[in-house]
Amino acid sequence: IKTVMRTRRTFEQKDLVKKSDSQEESFDVKHYRANPSEYESIFASNVAPVCNVIMNGIYWDERYPRLLTKADMTALYNQGHKSLFAVGDISCDVNGSIEFLEHTTTIDKPFFSWNPLTNTEADEITEDSVAVMGVDILPTELSVESSKHFGNALMPLLKQLIDEKLPPELVNACIARDGRLTPNFEYIEALMK
């Protein structure tokens, strides 16, 4: 069983890449964005060895260095750095910044297992593998969940709504009625002037 670190950290671009031909510590984000081919990823050496879970949501295209390559992961595993057990690629760029996201996954089957030592994937998650999630429609699931939640909250109010007898919850939420602002929202009139 792998140990889970309980630290969350958000990384900036300066934590992910460095200029290829420079030992300088300074980082110019404008230069990086204008000249990404002059940079290389330092994520595999500086960050990945101590991560248990990575949630990736960065923009990536072929001009930019990959965040984590297959070769990076193989090298980490060969060096005994096997703490990374799950990667969620929210940006879902197949073979992109997370190179071993080789295909998208689905809501019904959100993960596959990728083994850095054999460069193979499987359905079951094993100790010598990384669970990889790349659900390309993941953002739409938020609206599904919220729709279900709000639908369930409104169901008890529907009969009263159909009978045109608004319950207090909906009366208080109404901004306008019969062409005029309701008392709770009359302050908007002053904002419109």
Side-chain angles (χ1 to χ4, degrees):
I1 306 231
K2 298 177 184 178
T3 304
V4 177
M5 291 174 30
R6 303 225 185 263
T7 305
R8 278 187 263 164
R9 178 157 179 220
T10 302
F11 295 96
E12 299 176 24
Q13 289 172 330
K14 67 180 180 165
D15 301 313
L16 310 179
V17 295
K18 72 171 188 160
K19 202 156 188 290
S20 298
D21 63 353
S22 175
Q23 298 298 328
E24 291 181 31
E25 292 291 322
S26 65
F27 180 77
D28 181 356
V29 71
K30 288 181 183 178
H31 186 270
Y32 170 61
R33 288 182 182 162
N35 306 285
S37 63
E38 296 179 20
Y39 290 78
E40 63 189 42
S41 175
I42 56 172
F43 188 83
S45 58
N46 294 1
V47 180
V50 296
C51 287
N52 296 119
V53 177
I54 296 172
M55 292 304 291
N56 179 46
I58 62 173
Y59 170 79
W60 184 84
D61 68 40
E62 293 176 358
R63 298 173 299 145
Y64 292 89
R66 286 189 163 92
L67 183 68
L68 204 51
T69 66
K70 292 177 181 181
D72 291 336
M73 283 300 297
T74 300
L76 287 169
Y77 264 57
N78 283 331
Q79 295 164 12
H81 298 292
K82 297 181 178 184
S83 61
L84 180 62
F85 61 86
V87 173
D89 193 349
I90 297 169
S91 56
C92 207
D93 296 320
V94 173
N95 298 113
S97 62
I98 303 292
E99 187 179 26
F100 48 92
L101 174 65
E102 295 184 329
H103 59 82
T104 60
T105 58
T106 65
I107 296 299
D108 293 332
K109 191 176 167 202
F111 289 95
F112 66 88
S113 172
W114 181 74
N115 184 316
L117 297 175
T118 61
N119 191 25
T120 57
E121 69 175 66
D123 289 339
E124 65 280 345
I125 308 300
T126 65
E127 180 129 350
D128 288 328
S129 67
V130 179
V132 183
M133 179 197 72
V135 179
D136 59 355
I137 62 162
L138 192 58
T140 63
E141 284 300 299
L142 295 175
S143 60
V144 169
E145 287 181 11
S146 60
S147 293
K148 287 180 182 177
H149 172 77
F150 290 120
N152 289 338
L154 284 175
M155 285 301 286
L157 306 173
L158 281 181
K159 181 169 176 15
Q160 295 169 326
L161 186 59
I162 292 169
D163 294 339
E164 294 187 25
K165 297 176 187 168
L166 292 179
E169 297 90 344
L170 292 180
V171 169
N172 291 333
C174 286
I175 297 172
R177 187 170 188 155
D178 299 325
R180 293 192 321 259
L181 292 169
T182 59
N184 288 345
F185 295 93
E186 288 174 346
Y187 69 91
I188 294 175
E189 189 91 35
L191 298 174
M192 296 182 347
K193 293 181 182 182

